[in-house]
Amino acid sequence: MSAAAHVLALDLGGTSLRAGFAPLDAPAGLDAVERWGAPESAGALRDKVLALVAARRQSAALAGIGITIPGLVEGTVSRWVPNLPFLDGVDLAELLGEAGVPVAAGNDAQMAMLAEATLGAASGLDDAILLAIGTGIGSSVLAGGRIVRGGRGAACSFGWASADPSDPGEDRSGWLERQAAGRALDRLGRDAGLADGAALIEAARAGHQVASLAIHQVGAALGTTLAGAVALLDPQAVLLAGGVSEAIDVLGPPLRAALTRNLPPHLRSIEIRPGHFGPRAGLVGAAVAAGLGAEWWRVR
Protein backbone atom coordinates (compact mmCIF):
# COMPACT_ATOMS: atom_id res chain seq x y z
CA MET A 1 0.00 0.00 0.00
CA SER A 2 1.35 3.42 -0.92
CA ALA A 3 2.55 5.59 1.96
CA ALA A 4 0.20 8.26 0.62
CA ALA A 5 -2.85 6.10 1.28
CA HIS A 6 -5.47 7.44 3.69
CA VAL A 7 -8.38 6.01 5.66
CA LEU A 8 -11.80 7.54 6.23
CA ALA A 9 -12.98 7.65 9.85
CA LEU A 10 -16.68 8.08 10.58
CA ASP A 11 -18.14 8.67 14.04
CA LEU A 12 -21.91 8.26 13.83
CA GLY A 13 -23.90 9.39 16.85
CA GLY A 14 -27.57 9.73 17.61
CA THR A 15 -27.58 13.40 16.60
CA SER A 16 -24.51 13.94 14.45
CA LEU A 17 -22.04 12.45 12.00
CA ARG A 18 -18.36 13.38 12.14
CA ALA A 19 -15.86 12.42 9.48
CA GLY A 20 -12.17 12.89 8.88
CA PHE A 21 -9.34 11.43 6.83
CA ALA A 22 -6.04 10.26 8.29
CA PRO A 23 -2.85 8.76 6.86
CA LEU A 24 -2.94 4.98 6.99
CA ASP A 25 0.29 4.95 9.01
CA ALA A 26 -0.73 7.80 11.36
CA PRO A 27 -4.41 7.30 12.28
CA ALA A 28 -4.39 9.99 14.99
CA GLY A 29 -3.42 12.57 12.37
CA LEU A 30 -6.98 13.31 11.32
CA ASP A 31 -7.39 16.30 9.04
CA ALA A 32 -10.36 18.37 7.94
CA VAL A 33 -12.77 16.84 10.45
CA GLU A 34 -16.32 17.88 9.60
CA ARG A 35 -19.65 17.49 11.40
CA TRP A 36 -23.20 17.23 10.10
CA GLY A 37 -26.54 16.30 11.56
CA ALA A 38 -27.17 12.58 11.78
CA PRO A 39 -28.46 11.15 8.49
CA GLU A 40 -32.18 10.45 8.34
CA SER A 41 -31.90 7.18 6.44
CA ALA A 42 -29.41 4.48 5.50
CA GLY A 43 -29.44 5.84 1.96
CA ALA A 44 -28.53 9.31 3.18
CA LEU A 45 -25.59 7.86 5.11
CA ARG A 46 -24.41 5.97 2.04
CA ASP A 47 -24.66 9.02 -0.20
CA LYS A 48 -22.72 11.22 2.24
CA VAL A 49 -19.92 8.68 2.62
CA LEU A 50 -19.61 8.01 -1.11
CA ALA A 51 -19.40 11.74 -1.76
CA LEU A 52 -16.59 12.08 0.77
CA VAL A 53 -14.74 9.13 -0.77
CA ALA A 54 -15.07 10.53 -4.30
CA ALA A 55 -13.74 13.92 -3.24
CA ARG A 56 -10.70 12.47 -1.42
CA ARG A 57 -9.77 10.10 -4.23
CA GLN A 58 -8.94 13.10 -6.39
CA SER A 59 -5.83 13.62 -4.24
CA ALA A 60 -5.02 10.36 -2.41
CA ALA A 61 -5.65 6.62 -2.44
CA LEU A 62 -8.16 5.26 0.06
CA ALA A 63 -7.20 2.14 2.02
CA GLY A 64 -10.31 1.59 4.15
CA ILE A 65 -13.26 3.00 6.06
CA GLY A 66 -13.86 2.77 9.80
CA ILE A 67 -17.22 3.64 11.33
CA THR A 68 -18.53 3.81 14.88
CA ILE A 69 -22.18 3.09 15.67
CA PRO A 70 -24.03 4.19 18.84
CA GLY A 71 -25.48 0.77 19.45
CA LEU A 72 -25.00 -2.96 18.93
CA VAL A 73 -22.77 -4.03 16.03
CA GLU A 74 -22.07 -7.66 15.10
CA GLY A 75 -19.25 -7.82 12.57
CA THR A 76 -20.31 -5.09 10.14
CA VAL A 77 -24.04 -5.53 10.77
CA SER A 78 -25.93 -2.97 12.89
CA ARG A 79 -28.19 -5.04 15.12
CA TRP A 80 -29.75 -2.40 17.39
CA VAL A 81 -29.27 1.37 17.22
CA PRO A 82 -31.90 2.96 19.49
CA ASN A 83 -31.53 6.51 18.17
CA LEU A 84 -31.10 5.50 14.51
CA PRO A 85 -33.50 2.57 14.07
CA PHE A 86 -33.30 2.70 10.27
CA LEU A 87 -29.87 1.08 10.62
CA ASP A 88 -31.18 -1.99 12.47
CA GLY A 89 -30.23 -5.05 10.42
CA VAL A 90 -28.15 -3.07 7.91
CA ASP A 91 -24.80 -4.52 6.85
CA LEU A 92 -22.56 -1.45 6.69
CA ALA A 93 -20.01 -3.17 4.47
CA GLU A 94 -22.74 -3.81 1.91
CA LEU A 95 -24.23 -0.34 2.34
CA LEU A 96 -20.86 1.28 1.60
CA GLY A 97 -19.74 -1.36 -0.89
CA GLU A 98 -19.57 1.09 -3.79
CA ALA A 99 -16.58 2.72 -2.08
CA GLY A 100 -14.59 -0.35 -3.09
CA VAL A 101 -12.55 -0.60 0.13
CA PRO A 102 -12.81 -2.71 3.30
CA VAL A 103 -15.14 -1.44 6.03
CA ALA A 104 -14.51 -1.92 9.76
CA ALA A 105 -17.47 -1.21 12.04
CA GLY A 106 -17.94 -1.26 15.78
CA ASN A 107 -19.67 0.16 18.81
CA ASP A 108 -18.54 3.70 19.56
CA ALA A 109 -17.19 2.91 23.03
CA GLN A 110 -15.28 -0.11 21.73
CA MET A 111 -13.71 2.07 19.05
CA ALA A 112 -12.83 4.66 21.70
CA MET A 113 -11.06 1.92 23.66
CA LEU A 114 -9.19 0.93 20.51
CA ALA A 115 -7.86 4.49 20.20
CA GLU A 116 -6.84 4.66 23.84
CA ALA A 117 -5.28 1.17 23.85
CA THR A 118 -3.19 1.71 20.73
CA LEU A 119 -2.24 5.38 20.98
CA GLY A 120 -3.66 6.86 24.19
CA ALA A 121 -4.18 6.49 27.93
CA ALA A 122 -4.31 2.66 27.85
CA SER A 123 -1.28 2.27 25.60
CA GLY A 124 0.82 -0.60 26.91
CA LEU A 125 -1.97 -2.01 29.07
CA ASP A 126 -3.55 -5.41 28.49
CA ASP A 127 -6.54 -4.94 30.82
CA ALA A 128 -8.64 -1.78 31.19
CA ILE A 129 -12.21 -0.49 31.46
CA LEU A 130 -13.47 2.59 29.62
CA LEU A 131 -16.59 4.55 30.56
CA ALA A 132 -17.67 7.22 28.09
CA ILE A 133 -20.24 9.34 29.93
CA GLY A 134 -22.22 11.73 27.79
CA THR A 135 -25.93 11.85 26.95
CA GLY A 136 -25.84 8.12 27.67
CA ILE A 137 -23.10 5.80 28.94
CA GLY A 138 -20.87 3.91 26.54
CA SER A 139 -18.46 1.34 27.91
CA SER A 140 -15.88 -1.16 26.78
CA VAL A 141 -13.30 -3.55 28.17
CA LEU A 142 -9.78 -4.46 27.13
CA ALA A 143 -8.95 -7.94 28.47
CA GLY A 144 -5.81 -9.86 27.67
CA GLY A 145 -4.98 -7.37 24.91
CA ARG A 146 -8.32 -7.77 23.12
CA ILE A 147 -11.45 -5.67 23.14
CA VAL A 148 -14.21 -7.85 24.57
CA ARG A 149 -17.20 -8.00 22.23
CA GLY A 150 -19.22 -11.00 23.42
CA GLY A 151 -21.37 -13.35 21.38
CA ARG A 152 -23.38 -10.56 19.70
CA GLY A 153 -21.06 -7.58 20.07
CA ALA A 154 -22.85 -6.30 23.18
CA ALA A 155 -20.41 -7.24 25.95
CA CYS A 156 -19.65 -4.88 28.85
CA SER A 157 -22.65 -2.57 28.49
CA PHE A 158 -22.20 -0.98 31.91
CA GLY A 159 -24.92 1.58 31.28
CA TRP A 160 -27.30 -1.33 31.87
CA ALA A 161 -25.72 -2.34 35.18
CA SER A 162 -28.03 -1.92 38.16
CA ALA A 163 -27.51 -1.41 41.87
CA ASP A 164 -31.25 -1.33 42.61
CA PRO A 165 -33.07 -4.68 42.65
CA SER A 166 -36.43 -2.90 42.76
CA ASP A 167 -35.85 -0.94 39.55
CA PRO A 168 -38.60 -1.80 37.01
CA GLY A 169 -36.25 -1.45 34.03
CA GLU A 170 -36.66 0.34 30.74
CA ASP A 171 -36.29 -0.83 27.13
CA ARG A 172 -34.15 2.04 25.84
CA SER A 173 -31.79 2.84 28.71
CA GLY A 174 -30.28 1.01 31.65
CA TRP A 175 -30.31 1.82 35.35
CA LEU A 176 -26.84 3.40 35.48
CA GLU A 177 -27.60 5.61 32.47
CA ARG A 178 -30.74 6.81 34.19
CA GLN A 179 -28.75 7.61 37.35
CA ALA A 180 -25.49 9.06 36.05
CA ALA A 181 -25.51 10.05 32.38
CA GLY A 182 -26.05 13.54 31.00
CA ARG A 183 -29.82 13.18 30.92
CA ALA A 184 -29.83 12.26 34.60
CA LEU A 185 -27.72 15.30 35.44
CA ASP A 186 -30.09 17.53 33.48
CA ARG A 187 -33.04 16.11 35.43
CA LEU A 188 -31.30 16.55 38.76
CA GLY A 189 -30.36 20.09 37.79
CA ARG A 190 -33.96 21.00 37.02
CA ASP A 191 -35.07 19.38 40.28
CA ALA A 192 -32.62 21.69 42.06
CA GLY A 193 -34.07 24.74 40.30
CA LEU A 194 -31.17 25.02 37.86
CA ALA A 195 -31.09 25.10 34.07
CA ASP A 196 -29.41 21.76 33.36
CA GLY A 197 -26.67 19.34 34.32
CA ALA A 198 -23.86 21.76 33.49
CA ALA A 199 -25.37 24.31 35.87
CA LEU A 200 -25.70 21.57 38.51
CA ILE A 201 -21.99 20.76 38.24
CA GLU A 202 -21.01 24.42 38.52
CA ALA A 203 -23.29 24.87 41.53
CA ALA A 204 -21.71 21.83 43.23
CA ARG A 205 -18.27 23.31 42.60
CA ALA A 206 -19.46 26.50 44.31
CA GLY A 207 -20.63 24.54 47.37
CA HIS A 208 -24.39 24.64 46.70
CA GLN A 209 -25.76 22.07 49.17
CA VAL A 210 -28.59 20.63 47.06
CA ALA A 211 -26.36 20.43 43.98
CA SER A 212 -23.57 18.80 46.00
CA LEU A 213 -25.95 16.16 47.32
CA ALA A 214 -27.19 15.43 43.79
CA ILE A 215 -23.63 15.09 42.47
CA HIS A 216 -22.79 12.80 45.38
CA GLN A 217 -25.74 10.62 44.37
CA VAL A 218 -24.44 10.40 40.79
CA GLY A 219 -20.87 9.63 41.85
CA ALA A 220 -22.08 6.96 44.28
CA ALA A 221 -24.10 5.26 41.53
CA LEU A 222 -21.08 5.25 39.21
CA GLY A 223 -18.73 3.95 41.88
CA THR A 224 -21.09 1.25 43.12
CA THR A 225 -21.69 -0.28 39.70
CA LEU A 226 -18.08 0.22 38.62
CA ALA A 227 -16.96 -1.70 41.71
CA GLY A 228 -18.73 -4.78 40.39
CA ALA A 229 -16.93 -4.47 37.06
CA VAL A 230 -13.55 -3.99 38.76
CA ALA A 231 -14.16 -7.01 40.97
CA LEU A 232 -15.05 -9.16 37.97
CA LEU A 233 -12.29 -8.00 35.63
CA ASP A 234 -9.36 -6.78 37.78
CA PRO A 235 -8.28 -4.11 35.24
CA GLN A 236 -5.02 -2.20 35.42
CA ALA A 237 -6.88 1.10 35.05
CA VAL A 238 -10.30 2.64 34.52
CA LEU A 239 -10.51 5.33 31.84
CA LEU A 240 -13.15 8.05 32.00
CA ALA A 241 -14.16 9.77 28.77
CA GLY A 242 -17.08 11.82 27.49
CA GLY A 243 -18.39 15.19 28.59
CA VAL A 244 -19.48 14.23 32.10
CA SER A 245 -15.97 12.94 32.86
CA GLU A 246 -14.82 16.57 32.86
CA ALA A 247 -16.66 16.91 36.19
CA ILE A 248 -14.34 14.37 37.84
CA ASP A 249 -13.29 17.03 40.39
CA VAL A 250 -16.75 16.84 41.98
CA LEU A 251 -17.77 13.33 40.91
CA GLY A 252 -14.44 11.75 41.84
CA PRO A 253 -14.68 11.78 45.66
CA PRO A 254 -18.08 10.00 45.92
CA LEU A 255 -17.08 7.64 43.09
CA ARG A 256 -13.84 6.70 44.85
CA ALA A 257 -15.63 6.35 48.20
CA ALA A 258 -18.13 3.90 46.65
CA LEU A 259 -15.32 1.91 45.05
CA THR A 260 -13.50 1.68 48.38
CA ARG A 261 -16.66 0.67 50.21
CA ASN A 262 -17.58 -2.07 47.74
CA LEU A 263 -14.20 -3.58 46.85
CA PRO A 264 -11.82 -5.88 48.75
CA PRO A 265 -8.56 -4.28 49.94
CA HIS A 266 -6.41 -5.62 47.10
CA LEU A 267 -8.57 -3.89 44.46
CA ARG A 268 -9.22 -0.55 46.16
CA SER A 269 -6.18 1.15 44.65
CA ILE A 270 -7.49 0.80 41.08
CA GLU A 271 -6.22 3.75 39.04
CA ILE A 272 -8.76 6.08 37.44
CA ARG A 273 -7.39 7.97 34.43
CA PRO A 274 -8.85 10.50 32.01
CA GLY A 275 -8.91 9.36 28.41
CA HIS A 276 -6.23 10.91 26.20
CA PHE A 277 -8.36 11.65 23.14
CA GLY A 278 -11.48 13.05 24.80
CA PRO A 279 -14.40 13.44 22.39
CA ARG A 280 -12.12 12.48 19.45
CA ALA A 281 -11.56 8.95 20.77
CA GLY A 282 -14.27 7.30 18.66
CA LEU A 283 -13.08 9.02 15.51
CA VAL A 284 -9.43 8.09 16.12
CA GLY A 285 -10.51 4.53 16.90
CA ALA A 286 -12.41 4.36 13.63
CA ALA A 287 -9.26 5.47 11.79
CA VAL A 288 -7.20 2.81 13.57
CA ALA A 289 -9.81 0.14 12.80
CA ALA A 290 -9.92 1.14 9.13
CA GLY A 291 -6.23 0.31 8.89
CA LEU A 292 -6.43 -2.92 10.91
CA GLY A 293 -9.42 -4.42 9.10
CA ALA A 294 -12.04 -6.92 10.27
CA GLU A 295 -10.11 -8.07 13.35
CA TRP A 296 -9.46 -4.56 14.65
CA TRP A 297 -10.45 -5.70 18.15
CA ARG A 298 -7.20 -7.74 18.49
CA VAL A 299 -5.20 -4.90 20.02
CA ARG A 300 -2.14 -6.87 21.23
Side-chain angles (χ1 to χ4, degrees), residues 108-109 112 130-140 177 239-245:
D108 48 4
L130 180 143
L131 285 183
I133 310 170
T135 303
I137 294 180
S139 51
S140 56
E177 282 194 327
L239 310 184
L240 295 182
V244 174
S245 67

Side-chain angles (χ1 to χ4, degrees), residues 5-248:
H6 280 60
V7 293
L8 172 59
L10 302 164
D11 186 12
L12 180 60
T15 59
S16 68
L17 170 66
R18 291 188 299 162
F21 288 91
L24 176 61
D25 57 359
L30 290 158
D31 63 17
V33 174
E34 297 184 74
R35 182 191 293 266
W36 306 269
E40 296 182 353
S41 68
L45 173 62
R46 178 196 61 227
D47 293 346
K48 171 61 74 175
V49 173
L50 293 180
L52 290 169
V53 169
R56 175 53 60 126
R57 277 185 170 150
Q58 296 176 11
S59 58
L62 188 68
I65 296 172
I67 181 169
T68 77
I69 298 296
L72 172 59
V73 184
E74 185 177 356
T76 58
V77 178
S78 294
R79 292 300 185 197
W80 183 56
V81 189
N83 292 320
L84 303 171
F86 56 82
L87 286 178
D88 291 353
V90 172
D91 188 326
L92 296 164
E94 291 183 4
L95 181 71
L96 305 178
E98 290 181 42
V101 295
V103 174
N107 170 267
D108 48 4
Q110 292 174 1
M111 289 288 195
M113 175 63 91
L114 177 63
E116 297 292 354
T118 53
L119 301 167
S123 180
L125 302 184
D126 287 328
D127 299 273
I129 293 172
L130 180 143
L131 285 183
I133 310 170
T135 303
I137 294 180
S139 51
S140 56
V141 164
L142 180 72
R146 298 183 179 185
I147 294 173
V148 179
R149 299 180 304 157
R152 290 169 292 277
C156 311
S157 299
F158 294 142
W160 291 86
S162 176
D164 180 4
S166 66
D167 182 68
E170 183 182 302
D171 286 345
R172 294 178 63 84
S173 59
W175 180 86
L176 185 58
E177 282 194 327
R178 286 181 272 121
Q179 304 305 311
R183 288 174 295 213
L185 285 167
D186 287 340
R187 184 190 72 248
L188 290 168
R190 291 190 296 269
D191 290 347
L194 301 167
D196 53 22
L200 182 75
I201 291 166
E202 289 305 315
R205 286 175 173 146
H208 186 286
Q209 184 176 13
V210 174
S212 296
L213 288 172
I215 289 295
H216 185 277
Q217 173 185 329
V218 171
L222 283 168
T224 300
T225 50
L226 188 56
V230 171
L232 284 170
L233 298 166
D234 187 16
Q236 294 161 284
V238 173
L239 310 184
L240 295 182
V244 174
S245 67
E246 295 176 0
I248 192 63

